Amino acid sequence: MKEYHQYPMWDASLSLEERLDDLIARLTTEEKIRLIPTREAAVPRLGIPAYNVGGEAAHGVAWKGEATVFPQPLGLSSTWNTRLMREIGSVIGDEARAYHHRDPEVHGLTLWAPTVDLERDPRWGRTEEGYGEDPVLTGEMSAALVKGMQGSDPFYLKMVATLKHFFANNNEKDRLNCSSSIDPRNLREYYLKAFETPFVEGGALSMMTAYNSINGTPAIESPYVNDVVKGEWAMPGFIVCDGGDLSQTVNYHGYHTSHAESAAGALKAGVDCLTDEVDLVISALEDALYQDLLEIADLDRAIRNIFGVRMRLGQLDQSGLNPYASIPESVLCAPEHAKLSYRAAAESIVLLQNDGLLPLQPEALQKISVIGPLADVVYTDWYSGTLPYRVSVLDGLRNRLPQTDVTYTDGNDRIQLKTTDGQVITLGAEGTLVAVPEASASTAAEFVHQDWGWGSHTLRSVNNNRYVSLTEQGIYQANAPEIGGWFVKEVVRIDPLTDGSNTLRTWNGIPVGLSEYQGHSAVSPLRPQGEQTTATNPNDVGDSGHASQSPGNTQITSAFNIDIVTSGIKQAVEAARSSQVSVVVVGNSPYINGKEEIDRPSLLLPPSQVELVKAVCEANPNTVVVIMGSYPFALQELKGIARAIVYMTHAGQELGNALADVLLGYYAPAGRLNMTWYEDESQLPDIMDYDIIQNRMTYMYHEGPVQYAFGHGLTYSEFEYEAIRLSRSASPESTTTDQLKIEVEIHNTGQRDSDEVVQIYGSSYTSRVKRAQKQLLAFCRVHVKAGTRVTISFEVPVQKLALWDVTRDRYCLETATWAILAGRSSADIRQSADIEIEGETIPDRPLHLLTFAENYDACAGVLLDECLEGRSAVRAITPEEPLYREEQSSWIAFNHNAVQEVQGFEARVAAFGEEGRLEIRSGGLEGELLGVCEVSGPGGSVNGKDIKWTTVQCSLEAPHKVNELYIFFKGGAALRHFRLL
């Protein structure tokens, strides 16, 4: 036995706290520091192995090798099936264990998933990674995944789920330095609610903070980590920051001037493990200790959190009791895992509309045409695992229809490129794109041209079936087997010129021309004018995308003509006309026009795809349109065009088999939308505006028409909702928490067995504040045989009806009449019943007491920003900020006030950048001016701003009672709190 095996830290019969106490007592300060980076160092003298925190598992284990790949998370959430999610989580845990056993120090068990960010805006570039716009659906689906991932043993963990990204992280533009402005009601009723369920009910033991700031404080130092996650929710695991965020807090947010300050701020705010370069983390922590910014106790607290999880994973354990230690490597890509991937793909498919065309009748199909740029591909995304195999839509239909003539065309043009000075582009050695005089060219290169919209194009060589990509040598070669990578160098920007020719640009906007390369005139990015380089080794070339040049080499600026050799739409129309049925498959590439770092330019399908769909539908009315995408689309252009529209995300290895079974009626679709599909983006506010209540965002608050409602999805059978029954009783698990008991009786009146997703919503008739029109309370996916009835029972904690009372800083269950609604979607309610909820009445505001500015009832033109005295400050939006609108006034309002005989106004204020003033009015925007508070400054420095908080007073000329108080912000005035005198 090793000497260290005798230490209490290795004794699994002791309590976890006793083992952790022993571990921390034995570690030196240097050793503790080296356990804080995500690449945790070994401590050989104590037997502690090196450990790698991190890795991806959004829809299967990723970046390690072949593993089972499930649909994108947005698709998983479209199943509305928590039981399925738990099974998928268990498979992810099994396969993570298999890789861990293969190489424990490389393949850790603390993987980064699920993504719990709420998707209040479908333009977010990372929409594919989340679970939709609703906190209840997101919370319950992610909690189920977490339970499966972490396992059911009372002590040992199969793996650890890391929820990300905490929080209000729903835009990619300026994500490294922006701040999301979140008021208390949005915070408590929406953004935090989604995270609460996977922590409190799912038992998640890790979390990643976001890149953005919240109310001026970088998320890595958010007070909600300690106060809410570790405090209110009592999460016993550990917190990591997002990749590189330690340094980005200095370099992008400018929040600190040194990495030592950043490291100290993160650990004190509750982050335990720092995701950044190891040497940087170590030096920052050493400096922080030396400068007395950190104490050893701060390191000890982080180590306790980290190793509390590592010990439960089975490390430092000789007992042999860990049930997950024996999971064999043979579980990787096991046949039963493939079956689960198929089931997930099938359950995720949403039938958006159908006039009777679906399901197709396979026995009557003699010829079917499969058309479209996504018909014979299976795309992965940045966080996908490596597919063990792939089944496209074309493959799936051919598999299921062996006796049917299944034809295929991708609908893309075949083109040739020529320069305007008479040269053609050919393929040289290794697929290099080379320009030669047309007269001497034996064969011009032919490319499959895919127009992804908004200037993004890809070219795939007909000769070798490889995508044209910008190489590290800075030239273009047809050498990429697929589109992908952090920098998507397969994208070519094409800008039409007035004379019919085109300029080409690289993925990052550099003009493309011709440069001498290995004795040929190669297509390559042009160097900025005057730039000189003598690089001849590809390893010496950076990411600029410029070709390696030798002295004296020349560059030629070129315009290009695009000659269409074969029309994709013409071929598609011919195929459609000659078929009984056409299936046209369109959508997005997960790497183009919307991904991490890139928000979507539009909700629309690419115009070329719309043109293709219209042409095919006109040629063959019996056309099924399949939208395969990572996010919702606006499909107004297809309204009345297609008889049937099906939606699915990029669904992994079994995509084609699952879709074929749905189209052919072997499986009845029952997926439901987890996001509102708006008519167009004009229905959305600025992507940086996070106030869903005032902006009427998501199905809960949106009042206008939509294309497809949250929860929408059709199937091949008919369902009647025949009864709903309500009662309220005390929960058997708790004498303090009441439950709403809801029973819904449904009847499958159709001819097919099918799943149905029963959705329960609540709507309050009265409230002190604006409440959601509907809010999801519960849901259940259930299989119902044709002609049968089933009764579905729900128990909903009455506390789910509570709102966040800004007048008292707590949740409040109001006395009110509620409608409890049961239906097939948020817009398709079939049964409802009213119930009286006995709660409390929110009293009028006591504005003579200290009132925090952030607790307003309404606002316009303001942001919440950091106040290091605690809570958030409110200030006007400045002209340089994204949400600024000219001539928009900036104000906050406080309604239902109890104060009488007002004489003065006292406030805690500061000048953010410049002096300002507060104007106090009564009764409305044009109400009586009661007084003005001058806010002088600046002074001191906080978060890069010259700020000094002071208390000011002014007298008021007030009416007898101020029912509605309005505070207007002028200049740089910022307000933390106030009271009426």
Side-chain angles (χ1 to χ4, degrees), residues 130 178 297 302 325 338 465 586 748 774 783 800 835 838 920 935 947:
C178 70
N465 201 34
V586 293
N748 183 345
K774 298 183 186 76
H783 189 71
K800 278 195 173 183
I835 188 168
E838 295 181 7
I920 298 93
V935 180
I947 295 172

Side-chain angles (χ1 to χ4, degrees), residues 855-874:
N855 281 334
Y856 50 73
D857 287 305
C859 73
V862 298
L863 292 177
L864 280 78
D865 208 331
E866 185 177 66
C867 173
L868 293 183
E869 296 187 343
R871 310 290 288 239
S872 295
V874 179

Side-chain angles (χ1 to χ4, degrees), residues 862-916:
V862 298
L863 292 177
L864 280 78
D865 208 331
E866 185 177 66
C867 173
L868 293 183
E869 296 187 343
R871 310 290 288 239
S872 295
V874 179
R875 62 172 177 83
I877 302 171
T878 61
E880 66 273 12
E881 292 176 313
L883 300 181
Y884 179 78
R885 300 292 180 269
E886 287 189 15
E887 299 182 0
Q888 176 176 295
S889 59
S890 300
W891 53 267
I892 55 178
F894 300 83
N895 303 327
H896 308 289
N897 301 317
V899 175
Q900 300 184 24
E901 298 181 2
V902 176
Q903 297 180 352
F905 179 85
E906 181 180 271
R908 188 71 172 166
V909 299
F912 273 49
E914 62 176 348
E915 297 182 348

Side-chain angles (χ1 to χ4, degrees), residues 72 74-75 78 119 121-130 352 452 454 586-596 598-606 627-635 647-650 673-677:
Q72 292 175 305
L74 193 71
S78 297
E119 301 180 308
D121 195 314
R123 295 168 298 188
W124 184 35
R126 301 180 73 171
T127 294
E128 67 198 29
E129 298 178 37
L352 293 176
W452 295 99
W454 302 280
V586 293
N588 80 300
S589 160
Y591 285 97
I592 300 175
N593 294 336
K595 60 180 283 288
E596 187 167 356
I598 301 172
D599 290 313
R600 297 170 63 189
S602 170
L603 297 181
L604 299 173
L605 284 168
I627 310 291
M628 191 176 298
S630 304
Y631 28 63
F633 292 89
L635 301 180
Y647 169 71
M648 68 188 306
T649 60
H650 301 284
L673 297 180
N674 45 37
M675 298 182 71
T676 300
W677 285 40

Side-chain angles (χ1 to χ4, degrees), residues 8 54 106 141 150 267 292 311 323 413 509 561 667 750 796 806 947:
V106 172
M141 295 291 280
Q150 297 190 166
L267 260 65
D292 292 328
M311 286 178 176
D413 292 338
N561 290 321
Y667 183 86
V796 177
V806 295
I947 295 172

Side-chain angles (χ1 to χ4, degrees), residues 500-665:
S501 64
N502 305 271
T503 58
L504 305 186
R505 290 180 293 121
T506 63
W507 62 277
N508 56 345
I510 300 172
V512 170
L514 302 176
S515 298
E516 184 179 340
Y517 178 77
Q518 296 183 349
H520 299 280
S521 185
V523 177
S524 64
L526 301 177
R527 297 191 314 274
Q529 188 170 6
E531 179 182 308
Q532 296 293 327
T533 175
T534 58
T536 57
N537 185 332
N539 295 325
D540 295 333
V541 179
D543 287 331
S544 67
H546 303 137
S548 304
Q549 301 292 319
S550 297
N553 285 354
T554 59
Q555 292 186 300
I556 303 172
T557 303
S558 297
F560 296 84
N561 290 321
I562 298 175
D563 292 351
I564 298 176
V565 178
T566 307
S567 166
I569 286 185
K570 182 178 179 181
Q571 286 190 327
V573 167
E574 291 173 355
R577 283 177 178 160
S578 65
S579 305
Q580 293 169 276
V581 173
S582 293
V583 177
V584 58
V585 189
V586 293
N588 80 300
S589 160
Y591 285 97
I592 300 175
N593 294 336
K595 60 180 283 288
E596 187 167 356
E597 288 202 324
I598 301 172
D599 290 313
R600 297 170 63 189
S602 170
L603 297 181
L604 299 173
L605 284 168
S608 62
Q609 293 188 13
V610 174
E611 184 183 1
L612 174 66
V613 170
K614 288 181 175 180
V616 172
C617 289
E618 183 178 353
N620 186 347
N622 295 325
T623 293
V624 181
V625 178
V626 178
I627 310 291
M628 191 176 298
S630 304
Y631 28 63
F633 292 89
L635 301 180
Q636 284 291 87
E637 294 174 292
L638 302 185
K639 192 173 183 179
I641 300 295
R643 291 185 59 189
I645 302 178
V646 174
Y647 169 71
M648 68 188 306
T649 60
H650 301 284
Q653 60 204 56
E654 285 286 334
L655 179 156
N657 288 334
L659 181 64
D661 284 352
V662 165
L663 297 182
L664 299 173

